[in-house]
Amino acid sequence: RFKGIGDGCKAERMQSGDVSWEELSGEQKKEVWKAEEQMEEILDQKRREEDDWRRQLKEKPADLSWVQGRHFTSYEAFCVGRVEATVKKAGNEAFKSGDLDQARENWQGGIDMLLALGKLTPEAVDLLCVLRNNLAQLFVQRQEWNKVKELTDKILDSERTNEKALYRRAQAFFAFSIWDKCELDLDS
């Protein structure tokens, strides 16, 4: 019944990986051992990361107080509530304390989470505009005017009369010495 199976030449079996340990050359055995050592290193790193993650969870349990008393009609509504109550809040606190890098990380993370939802609800669009406005203000402080303009353009695509976005974009136009567009945004 199994006659002829595995009788192919060694080269064919090497390509399919159907060889025994004894059939491998000394160099091939070294490659196998090296690959095994690499896998062990990767596994050890993942184990350390998991142990660190578990330790952090024990030291600082997740704060779910933002969920209490709230009812969510959909997964999207839950995500918007989560971003607003945790990520946006953490970014605001970091910004107030002067940790602009942490604020940027939080707000950008919130934007990424909302965009990952795909089709955005009106609440998600509103929060997205708030996070982008916060991020634009951070870039105003850093005088990164291209980023300010990019963010405010995205905000104004969905909220044409957003006063904060118009003002921040006007600041960017002022920095670029584009006076007519600056004046137009300030008049809007």
Side-chain angles (χ1 to χ4, degrees):
R1 178 173 154 183
F2 296 107
K3 194 171 188 159
I5 295 176
D7 290 342
C9 72
K10 182 179 176 183
E12 288 176 7
R13 289 187 290 118
M14 287 295 287
Q15 278 193 313
S16 68
D18 187 26
V19 290
S20 67
W21 182 254
E22 291 78 29
E23 292 178 293
L24 296 177
S25 69
E27 276 302 308
Q28 291 169 328
K29 289 179 180 179
K30 285 181 184 178
E31 286 180 37
V32 170
W33 286 114
K34 185 177 177 183
E36 185 177 1
E37 288 172 5
Q38 289 173 340
M39 286 300 298
E40 282 299 322
E41 287 176 22
I42 292 170
L43 286 171
D44 285 343
Q45 174 65 29
K46 293 296 179 187
R47 286 183 188 114
R48 284 192 299 273
E49 289 173 6
E50 185 177 347
D51 289 344
D52 187 43
W53 177 75
R54 287 182 183 185
R55 182 186 50 75
Q56 288 176 6
L57 279 178
K58 286 179 183 175
E59 291 173 2
K60 183 182 173 191
D63 177 20
L64 296 176
S65 62
W66 66 273
V67 178
Q68 294 174 347
R70 297 178 73 179
H71 300 284
F72 301 101
T73 57
S74 65
Y75 172 74
E76 290 78 10
F78 172 81
C79 289
V80 169
R82 178 175 176 222
V83 168
E84 185 173 18
T86 58
V87 180
K88 177 187 166 216
K89 181 180 175 185
N92 291 351
E93 290 170 1
F95 186 80
K96 287 176 187 173
S97 68
D99 189 354
L100 299 184
D101 291 330
Q102 184 62 50
R104 177 183 181 180
E105 186 178 312
N106 285 320
W107 291 332
Q108 187 61 54
I111 290 169
D112 294 343
M113 282 184 213
L114 292 174
L115 292 176
L117 291 174
K119 185 168 170 39
L120 299 176
T121 64
E123 296 81 15
V125 171
D126 291 344
L127 183 56
L128 193 59
C129 288
V130 168
L131 291 171
R132 284 179 171 156
N133 247 326
N134 290 353
L135 208 48
Q137 179 58 36
L138 183 145
F139 290 130
V140 165
Q141 284 195 349
R142 289 186 170 177
Q143 297 183 357
E144 295 182 39
W145 303 112
N146 286 329
K147 292 179 181 177
V148 172
K149 182 178 178 316
E150 180 184 321
L151 285 165
T152 54
D153 283 345
K154 288 178 181 177
I155 295 166
L156 293 168
D157 283 344
S158 55
E159 292 183 5
R160 302 256 355 88
T161 59
N162 188 303
E163 292 180 7
K164 286 182 180 181
L166 285 166
Y167 178 71
R168 290 178 181 139
R169 188 170 71 173
Q171 287 177 294
F173 285 140
F174 184 83
F176 295 140
S177 300
I178 305 174
W179 313 117
D180 55 333
K181 290 187 177 184
C182 175
E183 188 176 344
L184 188 64
D185 277 354
L186 289 174
D187 288 339
S188 295

